[in-house]
Amino acid sequence: MILDLPATTTEKVSKKLVKMRESGGAVTLGRVLTLVVCADEGEPTEGAIEAANEASREHPCRVIVVSLGNSAAASRLDAQIRVGGDAGASEVVVLRLYGELAGHAESVVVPFLLPDTPVVTWWPGEAPENPAQDPVGRLGTRRITDSTRAADPDEALAHRLATYAPGDSDLAWAQITYWRAILTAALDRPPFEPVDRVVVTGPGRSPSIDLLAGWLQAQLGVPTERHSGSFEVRLERTTGPLVLAVDQNNNAVLSNPGKPDGKVAMSARGVRDCIAEELRRLDPDEIYHLALQGASRITRPTAEAQS
């Protein structure tokens, strides 16, 4: 069920939400968090709502979508409420703010926060300069950005490191969870010898690949190079390199000297998978912070660094 409430107030929206919930038989007792989705006018919000709805089947929540419109327009709040089949296992409140209201989004959001539940703030498009200091960001115990959507992906991670605060995370980090799991499992098998050097190759403007290289640098503490090209992770060891690559069928292929290649069926992780993973933990992700630090220490060939 979807209800549009143009030119309304937060009080009217709250009352209508209660009525719709009661008439539809929906309850909030099972809601485990409030997910606040922040987007500027023109940024795709429907894709974010769909991803949040899918994630809500694992993490029942209230989804509050804040869309910031023209700040020069007359002050106005347009709202939309979605419950039932149009909201997954959540209830969705879409708030479109114009004029002066667009500069006070946090005041409009607060009345819709579920009591005694954590708040997660997510920017599916361009993130603010400092998520932890953003007025809406300060409402969240977790703040999720997406460096792949940054205007300059090459600089995004450096900026995320400079403004990092406990609770920050990135969908670009969640995209490489499977790769990290494969590499961790491989290093837990014999031969148990140290890695001397790491070379990570992947698309040039990919924060996810940069984070993968940064994670390896932080965990192994060895020289780590970042190259542009087809995906490959090469861990140099005395007996020969451990290599993780992708074949023509998009299978992950793990090559280890003296052993048959191992293959793992892989698929690209979409936004709904990544946001669902991020909502599984509400404590600070210290490993992500270490990966950001490691990414600042990786080296690139001179020609690639200048391109």
Side-chain angles (χ1 to χ4, degrees):
M1 181 186 300
I2 298 178
L3 176 67
D4 290 310
L5 298 170
T8 187
T9 65
T10 57
E11 182 180 4
K12 292 179 181 178
V13 177
S14 295
K15 289 181 178 179
K16 183 61 69 172
L17 180 61
V18 171
K19 290 182 179 179
M20 290 180 67
R21 193 166 60 234
E22 291 176 346
S23 63
V27 297
T28 60
L29 296 178
R31 305 292 186 245
V32 297
L33 59 89
T34 303
L35 176 62
V36 181
V37 182
C38 301
D40 289 330
E41 187 176 33
E43 291 185 335
T45 56
E46 283 303 319
I49 293 173
E50 290 178 8
N53 286 346
E54 288 297 320
S56 73
R57 302 185 190 281
E58 181 179 342
H59 314 279
C61 59
R62 172 176 290 178
V63 179
I64 303 172
V65 181
V66 183
S67 179
L68 303 181
N70 186 357
S71 59
S75 185
R76 187 176 85 251
L77 166 62
D78 292 343
Q80 184 182 80
I81 301 173
R82 305 184 187 186
V83 296
D86 295 296
S90 64
E91 51 193 8
V92 179
V93 181
V94 182
L95 305 171
R96 294 185 173 88
L97 313 183
Y98 300 92
E100 186 178 352
L101 274 180
H104 301 279
E106 72 282 5
S107 298
V108 181
V109 169
V110 167
F112 299 101
L113 300 180
L114 293 173
D116 302 321
T117 60
V119 177
V120 178
T121 307
W122 171 32
W123 292 270
E126 189 77 15
E129 286 293 314
N130 189 334
Q133 294 302 316
D134 179 81
V136 178
R138 283 198 294 264
L139 299 174
T141 55
R142 287 294 301 273
R143 295 164 297 277
I144 304 171
T145 57
D146 188 351
S147 295
T148 64
R149 301 297 184 92
D152 188 348
D154 292 338
E155 294 295 328
L157 296 188
H159 193 69
R160 292 281 76 85
L161 175 60
T163 61
Y164 176 82
D168 288 356
S169 192
D170 195 327
L171 292 191
W173 174 243
Q175 287 178 353
I176 60 170
T177 296
Y178 291 161
W179 299 114
R180 292 192 293 124
I182 292 173
L183 289 168
T184 299
L187 289 174
D188 281 341
R189 299 169 184 165
F192 301 105
E193 56 183 356
V195 175
D196 302 314
R197 176 172 167 265
V198 174
V199 180
V200 179
T201 305
R205 295 172 65 84
S206 172
S208 293
I209 300 298
D210 292 343
L211 281 170
L212 181 60
W215 170 71
L216 287 167
Q217 198 289 325
Q219 297 299 314
L220 300 175
V222 299
T224 302
E225 296 180 11
R226 166 73 162 91
H227 295 252
S228 296
S230 300
F231 177 79
E232 182 184 87
V233 178
R234 179 176 292 265
L235 308 182
E236 301 285 356
R237 301 185 295 190
T238 302
T239 58
L242 173 68
V243 179
L244 177 62
V246 178
D247 66 13
Q248 64 273 18
N249 297 318
N250 290 324
N251 295 314
V253 180
L254 189 67
S255 302
N256 212 346
K259 298 181 180 180
D261 290 350
K263 289 189 177 183
V264 180
M266 299 286 286
S267 60
R269 304 197 77 194
V271 174
R272 64 185 62 185
D273 300 313
C274 293
I275 193 66
E277 178 179 324
E278 287 295 333
L279 296 180
R280 289 184 193 125
R281 59 177 303 164
L282 299 177
D283 56 321
D285 191 342
E286 297 175 354
I287 304 302
Y288 165 66
H289 188 202
L290 290 176
L292 284 175
Q293 294 173 326
S296 69
R297 297 191 290 265
I298 62 177
T299 59
R300 301 173 185 263
T302 303
E304 292 183 14
Q306 293 175 349
S307 62

